[in-house]
Amino acid sequence: MRKGSVKEALAKIKYDPRENESDYYIVIEHRGAYGNIKKIPVEIIELGHGYFFIGETQIPYHRILAVVRKDGKIVWRKRGLSEELKF
């Protein structure tokens, strides 16, 4: 499941022609949201150097908890995050 950095996993999803970015979403830590997490479709984010962007808003990669395919398969999970967590 977890190979490389989250940025590498997202770059593969966004730029590999065999992948469909609309099939994936990221789960981020978002204080104040229900359960302190928020799901964001990969297709609306732009990758940056130390951050990813949603429009003008920049969010650091370290806030990403998981990258999940819409069928529920977790393709990347933050190190130390419980295996029992479901998104």
Side-chain angles (χ1 to χ4, degrees):
M1 170 188 21
R2 186 182 205 288
K3 294 181 180 176
S5 71
V6 66
K7 186 176 177 184
E8 291 170 341
L10 290 171
K12 180 179 182 331
I13 292 167
K14 289 195 75 68
Y15 305 125
D16 187 332
R18 297 170 293 183
E19 297 290 347
N20 183 356
E21 65 183 327
S22 65
D23 289 340
Y24 295 87
Y25 62 90
I26 60 173
V27 180
I28 66 166
E29 181 180 1
H30 185 76
R31 291 173 199 92
Y34 180 74
N36 290 328
I37 63 168
K38 186 173 186 176
K39 295 178 182 180
I40 301 170
V42 169
E43 62 192 335
I44 69 166
I45 68 173
E46 295 297 323
L47 303 181
H49 199 15
Y51 299 85
F52 67 93
F53 296 86
I54 302 172
E56 297 291 318
T57 305
Q58 67 179 24
I59 301 169
Y61 286 113
H62 73 263
R63 298 241 326 262
I64 298 176
L65 301 175
V67 179
V68 183
R69 204 166 53 201
K70 286 188 177 175
D71 67 3
K73 181 176 189 245
I74 298 172
V75 296
W76 184 91
R77 181 191 310 261
K78 189 171 190 173
R79 192 180 320 266
L81 203 60
S82 171
E83 292 286 327
E84 286 82 41
L85 280 179
K86 301 293 181 205
F87 303 107

